[in-house]
Amino acid sequence: MTGELTGDEALTLASTARAEQALKRFSAVDEAVRRKAAKPVLALWKQHWAASFSASANRPKPPKIRDEEALRIAMLATATPSELKPYHFHILPQRLDLVETVRALKPGWIDRYVADLIETSAHFVARVAPLWRAGLCTRPESDSLILGYYAHGSGARLAQEEPLFATKDIWRFFEVEGGGDLSLAAVDKYTAAEHQWGTLIVRMCRSGRLDRARLLDASLSALERDFGQFRAGWYSRLHTALDPTLEEMAGRAGTYLRLLASPVPPTVSFALNALKKLDKAGKLDEGALLAEIAPALQARQKTAAKDALQLVAAVAKRSPARAAEAGRLAATALINEAVDVQKRALDTVEQLGVVDDAEVAATLSAHGDAVLPSLQPRLRAMTGESQPAPEPAPQPQAPLAPPEPAAPDPVAPAGSTDEAIALFLEALETCRDPIAVERAVDGIARFGTAAREHETKLSPVAKRARQLLNRAVECETQLGLAALGAAWVEGGDIEAALSRHLPQRHHRGISKGTVTAVFHRRNDDICALLSEGHAGPMLSAPTDRSGSVAPGALVDRMLACRAARRALPVQDLALALMRLRPDGRAAALARLDPQDETERAVAYALRAPVKPEGRAVPWVAAWAARSPGTAAPEIVKLVGREIAGAGVPARLGLRISRDTHDQYAWCVVQLDVQPTPTEANTRFASSLFHLPIHNVHSQPHPCGTTFEDIAWASTVWPGNSEPFFAGAIATLDTYQKLTDHHCLAFLEPLFIPGAPCGPMGQAMLGFYLASEDRSITGMTVDAITHLVAAGRLSADAFAAQTWPFVSVGPLPLSRWVRAFREIATASPGHAAFVCGAMAGLLRFPPDQIPRDLGAMLELLYELHYASGTRLEDPDAQACLRGVKGSGKAGKYARKLLEERTQ
């Protein structure tokens, strides 16, 4: 190829030619010549890209292009791999054949581009595979190539068309784990059985296309790689589907034994099943078994531990010389917390007749602390230890003595302009701490005017605020801070800052349906303060870490405004009143001589005999601070209608039910609010909390959908947390597991000293214990442990609020039992709380006894046994009398009813 190509001609081809014409012209020119014409083509592409895909508020107008395919051809002809890389597959021709395009252009960089593309996403493997089959590029051998097979749809087509699939690639299936939707387990889970990868591989093996011995070895080798549990299961299922013979299994006994140490419980169970078959057939080396079986004996899963004990007993029965060794191993199974495993371990030691062996006795004694109370007498009899003197224990319903309540830590405001700027920049980056956010906004109120005199100091604020606004961040608190920062530097209000910088397709103005609307409204007051050149403390700035405002501090701030002849900002004042602490109000009122409407609203909040007047916003907030549980006709008259949380106490109720789809069932929570919420609820901070939620997860939650927004919402009305906790219940999806779960923010207020926990808070705790997300259940356990120790949570009240979630059925009782077991270990008082709570949950009618009740009754029995008490609750006793059968539930029901604990 020869000839010349100018930048102007390349630009003309890219913008006005048809794709076929552009390909013909570019392919007639050497690549080096084409490269010299790249600059205008790349500029045109970037303009086209920015107009089509950018979220920036300053998007350029789209350029005039006759055929977008011609522009792609021009980019492939002139650009380098580094210039093409940011645009991934978008640069590939959509209409023209990819193979013919590359064959015509002969780009020297195609190997690098293809490798980079499939590293970006394995879904592109099938798209570019024709290139290496045609000999136009080198086939990449990275893991991404194998992940391309795991892709839905295109992966199966790739296997049919790729020549190396059966001889090379398929064996890497056992080395490349994948993740997310790109794994063998994920693909087969949502694929019909006849089209699954497992079915295909078994079929290929039976037809002789794949070596059977190699497949068996490879599937076990994959299980030794410690893949994640979900993905590892695919390989154990494949191995089982290959149906190995006893001879084939015997040749791999060493691998099965090594798999007993796997951290994946189903893999351990899979290995044990294989070893049991080999042991039954007499094809298992007894010495090797005893040398490797310890991890399975100490597994948390009781089925695995019991199977391992069965194998140990079988070995000792056949080889009496190994009885003592087997007995020492069996004793280590006492580490399992399940009573039937511990009982089986003691049975095994006794049956082996090695109780008198010194090493066996020492092993039993070493595990004595882990043995459940009901088995302690038997263990002591076996080891010859004396019975310890009984210790007095609290009764199941005995409350813990609460410690003296500690005051929350005070909050120090910014002390200088530099500190205010630093606090604001820090809050812009991470606004998880709502108190830090409030300190940052208060710093602007105090030093924002002075900071404007130093433009260089504010340049980082301007730059970062604009970046966040252009990105249209999801967190409304962060978005509001960014808008406030832009308004601080540029002037104007929050709405103007959003209009200037937020991408128009995302800009909806200030949110009116979430509690962060209060944040925006208050921040507008700060903007107005700056516009007027005023400076001073923010009225609503928290005075302590609970988010509350001390009445005396609020009066001080008001008097400072009065002295500066500055009117009280209404939204800032309303939030300050919502945050007003209950203590110190009389002293604060004595210092206040109200002189206008807003000051009289403050006096009303401080319980002065003042008649509401004028604008409703401050008076509703004052009522919310004064008596949110009592109706105030004078406030309703001012508002003009009955609105929940605006002069009318909201009546909150939960309707708990179950829903099903196919084999799935889940708990449905509906929050009922009376009076019925309407659009008018968005007018006031206190009524915003009462907007309806029906745990439809696509529906915005009034407190927000991010951790940061919920955390800030928790500070709006700290004196009345019930609507906040009610929203928490309707927000949680118990099946959802997240890296950083937003619902954790609902739990944090419970750790504030003296924070209230009413019926909705108790219901939230009960419901959150049933979450599948361990971060949620772990923090809930911590919260309950804290509240019980502080005397702020009773077993009866907690059980009454938790019962509706337990009774509907779809949530496994095992989740509550696991949490109760952890709480009970904190102290005897916590164990008594757990006894009382579980007794309060035993309200099942005889025909609705859950199948998984046994674990709860076992724990209840062990706790009563340890404390020397009996189950006295008559309703719980009536429930237990309805438990029939010889299973665990029936066994422990009879124990709780008939046996007097020691």
Side-chain angles (χ1 to χ4, degrees):
M1 293 181 291
T2 57
E4 296 296 327
L5 181 73
T6 66
D8 288 343
E9 184 184 0
L11 182 62
T12 300
L13 288 168
S15 58
T16 64
R18 291 290 187 186
E20 294 81 1
Q21 178 186 356
L23 178 61
K24 182 177 180 181
R25 177 68 182 108
F26 280 120
S27 63
V29 182
D30 286 335
E31 185 178 10
V33 175
R34 299 197 305 256
R35 177 60 191 154
K36 294 178 181 179
K39 190 173 182 179
V41 174
L42 182 60
L44 178 65
W45 172 264
K46 287 183 176 180
Q47 186 181 2
H48 166 71
W49 180 264
S52 302
F53 299 101
S54 175
S56 171
N58 302 312
R59 295 190 305 277
K61 293 182 179 179
K64 292 183 178 180
I65 299 172
R66 180 182 182 183
D67 184 354
E68 187 177 327
E69 188 84 333
L71 178 57
R72 294 192 185 96
I73 297 298
M75 281 292 290
L76 288 171
T78 63
T80 64
S82 59
E83 291 168 341
L84 296 173
K85 186 175 181 178
Y87 309 108
H88 310 309
F89 71 96
H90 295 282
I91 212 73
L92 297 178
Q94 306 297 310
R95 188 174 76 249
L96 299 186
D97 181 73
L98 175 62
V99 170
E100 294 306 318
T101 299
V102 173
R103 180 176 284 123
L105 294 175
K106 298 181 175 61
W109 43 257
I110 192 64
D111 286 356
R112 177 182 168 189
Y113 175 75
V114 168
D116 286 345
L117 185 64
I118 68 172
E119 286 298 323
T120 300
S121 174
H123 287 282
F124 302 147
V125 171
R127 179 84 167 87
V128 297
L131 293 177
W132 61 70
R133 294 192 200 116
L136 297 174
C137 74
T138 301
R139 192 180 94 135
E141 298 298 339
S142 67
D143 288 354
S144 293
L145 173 69
I146 305 305
L147 296 179
Y149 285 106
Y150 299 170
H152 283 276
S154 61
R157 186 175 72 251
L158 184 65
Q160 294 172 352
E161 299 173 354
E162 192 63 22
L164 296 178
F165 170 67
T167 58
K168 180 179 180 181
D169 294 344
I170 196 170
W171 301 110
R172 293 188 61 199
F173 279 28
F174 302 92
E175 301 170 356
V176 180
E177 177 182 13
D181 63 339
L182 290 177
S183 73
L184 295 164
V187 173
D188 279 6
K189 180 178 180 180
Y190 299 105
T191 303
E194 63 270 21
H195 300 302
Q196 291 175 355
W197 281 111
T199 304
L200 171 65
I201 292 172
V202 171
R203 190 184 304 134
M204 292 176 68
C205 177
R206 290 172 179 169
S207 67
R209 293 182 62 195
L210 294 177
D211 183 87
R212 176 178 174 82
R214 187 177 180 185
L215 267 180
L216 290 169
D217 289 336
S219 58
L220 294 179
S221 177
L223 293 173
E224 289 189 281
R225 295 179 184 275
D226 290 342
F227 290 165
Q229 179 171 317
F230 172 66
R231 293 178 287 278
W234 185 90
Y235 299 96
S236 58
R237 290 191 295 273
L238 174 66
H239 188 87
T240 302
L242 290 170
D243 194 19
T245 64
L246 281 173
E247 288 70 22
E248 288 173 327
M249 294 173 64
R252 294 165 177 80
T255 307
Y256 294 130
L257 286 168
R258 290 195 301 274
L259 288 175
L260 296 179
S262 171
V264 179
T267 298
V268 176
S269 298
F270 159 80
L272 283 166
N273 287 333
L275 292 169
K276 285 165 62 179
K277 291 179 182 178
L278 290 173
D279 182 68
K280 185 177 181 180
K283 295 181 177 295
L284 189 59
D285 182 272
E286 296 168 351
L289 173 67
L290 295 181
E292 300 284 355
I293 203 167
L297 288 165
Q298 299 168 29
R300 290 181 59 87
Q301 291 67 38
K302 66 178 184 179
T303 302
K306 290 165 74 173
D307 285 346
L309 284 167
Q310 179 183 339
L311 282 170
V312 166
V315 167
K317 184 177 180 180
R318 289 194 302 269
S319 302
R322 297 184 181 274
E325 182 183 1
R328 290 193 296 274
L329 286 167
T332 64
L334 292 172
I335 197 172
N336 193 292
E337 63 187 16
V339 66
D340 43 348
V341 173
Q342 294 186 358
K343 186 177 182 300
R344 178 74 63 85
L346 296 177
D347 289 345
T348 302
V349 173
E350 286 184 332
Q351 290 165 6
L352 294 177
V354 293
V355 174
D356 295 333
D357 182 274
E359 292 188 23
V360 173
T363 306
L364 290 170
S365 297
H367 290 80
D369 290 342
V371 174
L372 293 167
S374 62
L375 295 176
Q376 286 285 352
R378 181 181 177 187
L379 177 65
R380 285 191 291 270
M382 293 173 66
T383 59
E385 297 178 9
S386 59
Q387 174 82 15
E391 296 182 4
Q395 294 297 311
Q397 300 296 329
L400 297 180
E404 288 294 323
D409 294 333
V411 175
S416 66
T417 300
D418 288 345
E419 186 181 2
I421 293 173
L423 287 173
F424 190 78
L425 286 171
E426 183 178 352
L428 268 180
E429 294 307 315
T430 173
C431 46
R432 290 179 70 88
D433 181 356
I435 304 303
V437 170
E438 292 302 277
R439 287 186 71 208
V441 180
D442 180 53
I444 294 180
R446 292 172 182 269
F447 299 102
T449 302
R452 281 178 167 174
E453 299 175 3
H454 306 279
E455 292 186 9
T456 55
K457 290 185 177 181
L458 285 182
S459 61
V461 173
K463 180 179 179 180
R464 189 58 179 147
R466 290 164 186 160
Q467 287 175 341
L468 292 172
L469 288 171
N470 278 322
R471 278 170 40 195
V473 292
E474 293 183 9
C475 171
E476 285 224 353
T477 304
Q478 189 178 31
L479 188 68
L481 279 174
L484 176 59
W488 178 15
V489 176
E490 302 166 358
D493 57 18
I494 300 295
E495 182 67 34
L498 291 172
S499 298
R500 282 194 300 270
H501 298 289
L502 199 65
Q504 294 305 306
R505 71 179 71 177
H506 297 285
H507 182 42
R508 299 183 300 273
I510 295 175
S511 170
K512 294 181 174 60
T514 65
V515 178
T516 48
V518 179
F519 184 64
H520 293 305
R521 294 170 189 168
R522 191 277 311 278
N523 290 353
D524 261 336
D525 278 352
I526 305 304
C527 291
L529 181 80
L530 297 176
S531 298
E532 295 168 6
H534 292 299
M538 188 170 68
L539 298 178
S540 57
T543 54
D544 60 60
R545 292 288 308 177
S546 72
S548 300
V549 175
L554 177 58
V555 170
D556 289 340
R557 295 166 185 174
M558 291 170 54
L559 295 177
C561 288
R562 184 193 296 177
R565 299 182 180 277
R566 177 163 58 92
L568 295 179
V570 174
Q571 300 295 343
D572 189 17
L573 176 64
L575 180 54
L577 292 173
M578 293 279 293
R579 291 173 167 173
L580 206 60
R581 286 183 62 87
D583 55 306
R585 295 191 180 189
L589 180 60
R591 297 172 47 219
L592 180 64
D593 179 21
Q595 297 181 4
D596 59 23
E597 179 195 343
T598 51
E599 292 186 357
R600 284 190 288 275
V602 175
Y604 181 84
L606 297 175
R607 301 191 181 281
V610 179
K611 182 178 180 181
E613 58 181 294
R615 188 175 178 182
V617 169
W619 293 98
V620 169
W623 167 82
R626 173 174 173 155
S627 55
T630 305
E634 66 274 17
I635 298 295
V636 175
K637 181 178 180 181
L638 193 63
V639 170
R641 60 186 299 179
E642 286 195 348
I643 299 175
V648 181
R651 298 187 298 278
L652 303 176
L654 295 172
R655 282 186 288 136
I656 317 298
S657 59
R658 63 178 290 160
D659 201 353
T660 58
H661 179 70
D662 294 335
Q663 73 271 33
Y664 298 102
W666 61 92
C667 188
V668 178
V669 180
Q670 291 181 300
L671 175 62
D672 289 331
V673 181
Q674 295 296 329
T676 303
T678 66
E679 177 65 24
N681 282 71
T682 61
R683 291 178 57 192
F684 310 105
S686 52
S687 59
L688 261 172
F689 281 97
H690 300 108
L691 288 173
I693 317 162
H694 302 291
N695 76 332
V696 177
H697 304 297
S698 59
Q699 176 183 340
H701 180 274
C703 290
T705 55
T706 67
F707 181 98
E708 294 83 355
D709 291 340
I710 296 169
W712 189 86
S714 71
T715 69
V716 173
W717 204 359
N720 184 25
S721 55
E722 285 292 273
F724 177 76
F725 291 143
I729 300 166
T731 301
L732 179 70
D733 177 356
T734 55
Y735 289 98
Q736 187 177 47
K737 293 186 284 188
L738 302 173
T739 303
D740 182 20
H741 208 300
H742 55 282
C743 286
L744 292 171
F746 285 113
L747 293 164
E748 290 206 336
L750 294 172
F751 294 92
I752 297 171
C757 182
M760 289 297 166
Q762 295 158 7
M764 175 189 69
L765 291 170
F767 186 43
Y768 275 35
L769 283 183
S771 173
E772 213 172 304
D773 191 301
R774 289 299 181 91
S775 66
I776 292 290
T777 54
M779 191 168 179
T780 306
V781 165
D782 290 344
I784 293 174
T785 303
H786 168 75
L787 292 170
V788 171
R792 290 159 51 197
L793 186 64
S794 77
D796 290 343
F798 172 79
Q801 298 302 324
T802 304
W803 163 248
F805 302 105
V806 174
S807 65
V808 294
L811 299 172
L813 278 177
S814 58
R815 297 183 188 173
W816 280 288
V817 175
R818 182 174 58 239
F820 287 155
R821 183 176 286 111
E822 187 174 349
I823 294 167
T825 62
S827 74
H830 287 86
F833 168 84
V834 170
C835 280
M838 287 194 294
L841 293 176
L842 294 177
R843 301 292 186 266
F844 300 101
D847 60 340
Q848 296 178 20
I849 301 295
R851 294 182 178 180
D852 56 349
L853 185 61
M856 179 178 285
L857 299 186
E858 176 189 332
L859 176 59
L860 183 59
Y861 173 78
E862 292 295 340
L863 291 175
H864 276 298
Y865 191 99
S867 62
T869 59
R870 293 192 65 183
L871 177 65
E872 304 290 352
D873 187 311
D875 292 329
Q877 291 175 345
C879 173
L880 294 181
R881 282 191 285 271
V883 180
K884 307 299 181 183
S886 58
K888 178 183 285 189
K891 171 185 173 182
Y892 282 100
R894 289 189 293 274
K895 281 179 172 287
L896 286 164
L897 287 171
E898 300 169 4
E899 294 185 14
R900 180 173 297 277
T901 56
Q902 301 299 315

